[in-house]
């Protein structure tokens, strides 16, 4: 006897469900790879600090990011109007400042704490746009965590903390500017142009630093690898991941970047965090994740680009990063990430 197929799922639906699950797993794998690449790139760049300092590393990294993003975005610069150029120029200045302050903070207080402080930028943008009680509680938790991380001690590096907080302000500014750039220019043209201008700004800085501190090929390799791992790899990985996972899930996952930064700093740079510092980092990560989850099904804006680190991040309140991130179009606003941007 033939078995009745009534009530059973259609074979195409079964295959579609499997494909969706497979795509989701692939998206998660890409996000993991993107986050690890971004933080590993920052850690690799830190290996060159003793020879050429943060400014030299950032210069090389900005040159790499500029070449990558210009090749991908292909901006039609001659057709830009002043209404399009001024936010691009502002974004370029933000890129330049964000990466320099973040890398200087990494040099002084370590990768994990620097990225955690920078992560406060997108978190502040998300919480400032909300009137919900849960977001107020998240802001209080994040604020308490910052107090723990910056508590006065004889060994506290206040300059390093200040650089990390300036990077956070830059990442928040990057998100807001990126939305404006994304509204006035198609695709990744705006972020690509901003990355190109930022790379040009670092030409005199890079030449001066490298002339006074001639680097070895190994040192240049560290800086170049930082540009590739923190720019090209996150750009491609996040672009593909956003096609496979919901934007809200992408934003939640980016919350783990401070934890990834702390782990990479421990493995690559032998930078350790104390138990209370791990607790503070975790509190900031959880505050961001809870804020995104509580956002529910609010409308989501189209993705925009986070230029310096070339990471596409949804232009929603939850979106950092990433990164240093740096600069979430290509790196949408992180990722910043910034990530490390």
């Amino acid at each position: 006897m033939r078995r009745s197929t009534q009530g059973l799922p259609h074979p195409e639906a079964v295959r579609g469900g499997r494909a969706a699950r497979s795509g989701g797993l692939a998206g998660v794998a890409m996000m993991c790879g993107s986050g690890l690449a971004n933080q590993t790139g920052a850690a690799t760049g830190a290996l060159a600090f003793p020879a050429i300092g943060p400014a030299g590393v950032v210069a090389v990294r900005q040159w790499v990011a500029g070449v990558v993003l210009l090749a991908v975005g292909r901006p039609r610069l001659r057709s830009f109007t002043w209404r399009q150029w001024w936010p691009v120029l502002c974004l370029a200045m933000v890129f330049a400042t964000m990466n320099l302050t973040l890398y200087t903070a990494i040099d002084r207080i370590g990768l994990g704490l620097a990225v955690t402080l920078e992560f406060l930028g997108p978190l502040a943008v998300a919480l400032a746009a909300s009137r919900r009680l849960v977001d107020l509680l998240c802001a209080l938790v994040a604020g308490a965590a910052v107090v723990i991380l910056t508590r006065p001690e004889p060994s506290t590096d206040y300059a390093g903390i200040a650089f990390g907080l300036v990077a956070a302000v830059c990442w928040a500014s990057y998100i807001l500017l990126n939305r404006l750039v994304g509204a006035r220019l198609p695709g990744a043209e705006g972020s690509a142009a901003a990355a190109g201008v930022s790379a040009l700004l670092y030409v005199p800085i890079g030449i001066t630093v490298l002339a006074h501190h001639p680097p070895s090929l190994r040192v240049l390799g560290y800086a170049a690898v930082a540009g590739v791992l923190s720019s090209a790899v996150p750009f491609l990985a996040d672009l593909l991941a956003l096609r496979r996972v919901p934007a809200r899930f992408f934003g939640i996952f980016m919350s783990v970047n401070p934890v990834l930064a702390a782990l990479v700093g421990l493995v690559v740079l032998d930078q350790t965090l104390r138990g209370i510092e791990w607790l503070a980092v975790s509190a900031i990560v959880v505050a961001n994740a809870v804020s995104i989850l509580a956002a529910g099904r609010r409308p989501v804006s189209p993705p925009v680009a986070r230029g310096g680190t070339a990471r596409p991040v949804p232009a929603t309140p939850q979106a950092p990063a990433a990164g240093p991130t740096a600069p979430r179009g290509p790196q949408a606003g992180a990722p910043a990430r910034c990530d490390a941007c």
Side-chain angles (χ1 to χ4, degrees):
M1 295 179 62
R2 295 180 58 187
R3 296 179 58 186
S4 172
T5 59
Q6 185 176 2
L8 295 178
H10 192 278
E12 291 297 326
V14 173
R15 284 195 289 270
R18 290 173 180 169
R21 286 193 295 273
S22 176
L25 291 175
V28 171
M30 290 172 188
M31 290 187 293
C32 288
S34 171
L36 286 174
N38 204 14
Q39 306 308 333
T40 302
T44 304
L47 296 175
F49 287 170
I52 58 177
V57 174
V58 171
V60 175
R61 181 189 159 169
Q62 291 299 101
W63 297 339
V64 172
V67 169
V68 171
L69 289 177
L70 286 172
V72 174
R74 298 180 182 180
R76 293 164 292 184
L77 302 178
R78 293 183 178 180
S79 67
F80 284 16
T81 64
W82 174 244
R83 184 172 178 273
Q84 295 170 322
W85 262 120
W86 77 258
V88 167
L89 295 176
C90 290
L91 193 58
M93 292 298 297
V94 167
F95 287 164
T97 307
M98 178 168 57
N99 288 318
L100 181 58
T101 53
L102 175 63
Y103 274 54
T104 304
I106 292 173
D107 186 36
R108 301 182 70 98
I109 62 176
L111 181 61
L113 295 185
V115 171
T116 300
L117 291 175
E118 189 204 25
F119 191 75
L120 294 173
L123 179 58
V125 171
L127 299 179
S130 174
R131 297 294 182 270
R132 297 171 303 161
L133 176 60
V134 66
D135 284 333
L136 174 61
L137 296 176
C138 289
L140 293 175
V141 170
V146 172
V147 171
I148 292 174
L149 290 176
T150 60
R151 65 195 185 284
E153 289 184 352
S155 60
T156 299
D157 190 328
Y158 293 105
I161 291 170
F163 280 118
L165 293 176
V166 171
V169 172
C170 289
W171 197 352
S173 303
Y174 157 80
I175 293 173
L176 301 176
L177 280 170
N178 220 3
R179 292 176 181 174
L180 182 60
V181 169
R184 295 185 180 181
L185 287 164
E189 289 191 38
S191 289
V197 173
S198 181
L200 288 176
L201 291 175
Y202 271 97
V203 169
I205 298 174
I207 290 176
T208 301
V209 172
L210 299 181
H212 284 82
H213 305 279
S216 64
L217 289 178
R218 184 177 182 180
V219 168
L220 283 178
Y222 285 149
V225 167
V228 172
L229 290 182
S230 295
S231 298
V233 173
F235 169 78
L236 295 173
D238 289 349
L239 192 63
L240 294 173
L242 279 168
R243 297 175 181 174
R244 292 168 169 80
V245 300
R248 191 159 65 102
F249 180 73
F250 183 91
I252 294 172
F253 189 88
M254 284 195 67
S255 302
V256 306
N257 270 282
V259 176
L260 291 176
L263 292 174
V264 171
L266 175 63
V267 174
V268 179
L269 302 175
D270 197 27
Q271 296 173 346
T272 58
L273 297 182
R274 290 173 292 180
I276 193 169
E277 291 172 333
W278 274 110
L279 181 62
V281 170
S282 301
I284 292 174
V285 169
V286 171
N288 186 73
V290 169
S291 177
I292 296 170
L293 287 170
R297 298 182 177 274
R298 289 186 300 179
V300 176
S301 305
V304 295
R306 184 184 174 206
T309 348
R311 147 172 309 197
V313 178
T316 57
Q318 73 265 27
T325 313
R328 58 185 147 254
Q331 175 142 356
R337 190 313 284 28
C338 176
D339 23 35
C341 306

